[in-house]
């Protein structure tokens, strides 16, 4: 991504964030005048950040580069959480976390593959950049789908959530889960803005799904490491599972996703039935 497109991304993010806030959210008094657009005005953001309206306008228009100190005050003014602040600094070119070189084809480490195979009653996946599905175990196949049947170029978690009808129906809170996945992908834009595969994925999903277009335009970012997933599986019915994400220590950006249930709960019993129902299921591996 060029400096110009970086500036455009920053401007879009700032506009999206101020549109999501009201004067009351940030401690300002409501006025009687009608607002032409939703959210905060530029003048209100500038006032909160202690900068001039002219300077803030140039920031949104991509005509000036923000200093680290200005970014700090903007983060406070726009009530950005930790993930949003990380994203803001990256797209503003004020973070040294941007990748310095291209990596080769993504592959899960052998040790992680062994760990997947040893989690016999626990669905688990390894996700790489762009939320590409790099490896999985038999439990993940039983819970979701046979990933080996998906062409490697389309083996992507977000694509699966939006385009696989069976997986989509299985999510009880599909809109919430899908929007969180979109927010996680937004973080990847900041990590590697020049990735052509990422641009292709975003383009494909934007064309085919209105919800994705809407949520992508919101510029919401999230890199949550844990949460709860509610499924209704066609074989075992309701499943309430804890979903934990573990970042790889090698700096590759790969994430191990593990889904578990509290022992003694109906979900735990159902998960055991699901993962042992078809003993012929063998953990599939990515094409080598």
């Amino acid at each position: 991504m060029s400096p110009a497109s970086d500036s455009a991304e920053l401007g879009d993010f700032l506009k999206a964030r101020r549109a999501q806030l009201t004067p009351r959210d940030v401690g300002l008094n409501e006025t009687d005048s009608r607002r032409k657009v939703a959210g905060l005005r530029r003048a209100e953001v500038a006032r909160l950040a202690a900068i001039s309206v002219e300077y803030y306008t140039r920031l949104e228009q991509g005509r000036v580069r923000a200093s680290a100190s200005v970014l700090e005050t903007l983060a406070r003014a726009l009530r950005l959480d930790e993930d949003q602040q990380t994203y803001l600094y990256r797209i503003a070119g004020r973070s040294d976390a941007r990748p310095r070189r291209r990596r080769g084809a993504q592959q899960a480490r052998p040790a992680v593959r062994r760990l997947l195979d040893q989690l016999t009653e626990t669905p688990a996946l390894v996700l790489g950049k762009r939320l590409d599905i790099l490896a999985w175990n038999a439990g993940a196949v039983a819970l979701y789908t046979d990933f080996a049947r998906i062409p490697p170029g389309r083996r992507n978690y977000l694509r699966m959530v939006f385009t696989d009808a069976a997986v989509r129906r299985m999510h009880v809170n599909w809109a919430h889960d899908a929007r969180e996945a979109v927010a996680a992908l937004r973080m990847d834009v900041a990590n590697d803005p020049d990735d052509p595969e990422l641009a292709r994925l975003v383009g494909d999903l934007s064309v085919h799904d209105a919800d994705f277009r809407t949520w992508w335009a919101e510029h919401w970012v999230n890199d949550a490491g844990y949460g709860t997933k509610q499924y209704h599986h066609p074989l075992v019915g309701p499943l309430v599972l804890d979903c934990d994400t573990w970042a790889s220590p090698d700096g590759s950006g790969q994430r191990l996703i593990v889904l578990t249930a509290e022992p003694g709960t109906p979900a735990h019993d159902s998960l055991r039935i699901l993962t042992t129902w078809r003993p012929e299921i063998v953990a599939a591996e990515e094409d080598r």
Side-chain angles (χ1 to χ4, degrees):
M1 188 177 289
S2 67
S5 56
D6 277 341
S7 298
E9 181 76 9
L10 175 61
D12 289 343
F13 180 65
L14 293 175
K15 286 183 281 189
R17 278 302 301 154
R18 68 179 174 90
Q20 294 162 4
L21 296 171
T22 66
R24 184 174 299 177
D25 291 334
V26 296
L28 296 178
N29 293 327
E30 295 277 4
T31 63
D32 293 332
S33 60
R34 268 189 198 177
R35 293 176 176 266
K36 296 180 180 178
V37 294
L40 297 177
R41 296 189 177 102
R42 284 174 174 169
E44 290 168 333
V45 176
R47 173 185 167 190
L48 291 167
I51 58 178
S52 70
V53 179
E54 292 77 10
Y55 183 81
Y56 179 76
T57 300
R58 291 198 298 271
L59 277 177
E60 280 199 353
Q61 294 174 344
R63 294 190 290 134
V64 65
R65 189 182 185 208
S67 66
S69 60
V70 167
L71 292 176
E72 182 179 355
T73 59
L74 283 174
R76 289 199 300 267
L78 295 172
R79 302 300 193 265
L80 303 186
D81 62 27
E82 185 175 348
D83 288 335
Q84 291 169 333
Q85 290 181 46
T86 299
Y87 180 75
L88 173 70
Y89 276 80
R90 286 177 182 170
I91 61 176
R94 294 295 181 180
S95 170
D96 60 3
R98 294 164 66 96
R100 291 176 172 78
R101 62 181 180 86
R102 289 285 182 180
R103 297 182 182 270
Q106 299 184 90
Q107 289 187 342
R109 292 188 298 119
V112 177
R113 289 182 174 278
R114 289 195 297 271
L115 176 60
L116 287 178
D117 291 340
Q118 292 169 17
L119 296 173
T120 56
E121 296 182 357
T122 303
L125 296 164
V126 176
L127 303 185
K129 294 190 302 180
R130 305 177 295 272
L131 307 186
D132 285 347
I133 301 169
L134 306 184
W136 54 90
N137 66 359
V141 173
L143 178 63
Y144 291 114
T145 189
D146 185 356
F147 300 101
R149 295 180 179 272
I150 303 174
R154 300 184 65 81
R155 203 177 287 159
N156 177 274
Y157 180 79
L158 195 65
R159 193 185 292 277
M160 180 180 71
V161 168
F162 275 92
T163 65
D164 188 311
V167 172
R168 184 166 179 153
R169 286 194 302 269
M170 192 175 72
H171 283 76
V172 175
N173 299 316
W174 179 86
H176 172 272
D177 294 344
R179 187 169 181 260
E180 283 206 331
V182 172
L185 187 69
R186 261 290 175 192
M187 294 295 289
D188 280 358
V189 171
N191 291 330
D192 194 357
D194 298 318
D195 184 356
E197 294 298 324
L198 180 59
R200 187 174 297 112
L201 174 65
V202 171
D204 286 349
L205 293 178
S206 295
V207 168
H208 291 101
D209 196 281
D211 286 325
F212 179 87
R213 289 196 301 274
T214 298
W215 296 330
W216 187 253
E218 289 177 345
H219 287 257
W220 185 49
V221 291
N222 183 29
D223 201 19
Y226 62 92
T228 301
K229 299 290 188 185
Q230 296 185 49
Y231 300 120
H232 193 281
H233 197 276
L235 295 179
V236 296
L239 285 170
V240 180
L241 304 177
D242 291 321
C243 181
D244 290 273
T245 302
W246 309 93
S248 175
D250 63 0
S252 65
Q254 294 181 13
R255 288 156 279 191
L256 173 65
I257 312 296
V258 180
L259 296 125
T260 60
E262 183 72 23
T265 63
H268 183 260
D269 295 337
S270 295
L271 195 59
R272 289 190 63 185
I273 293 171
L274 182 63
T275 54
T276 59
W277 201 324
R278 294 172 57 194
E280 74 275 15
I281 293 180
V282 178
E285 296 184 356
E286 68 170 326
D287 294 347
R288 297 181 183 274

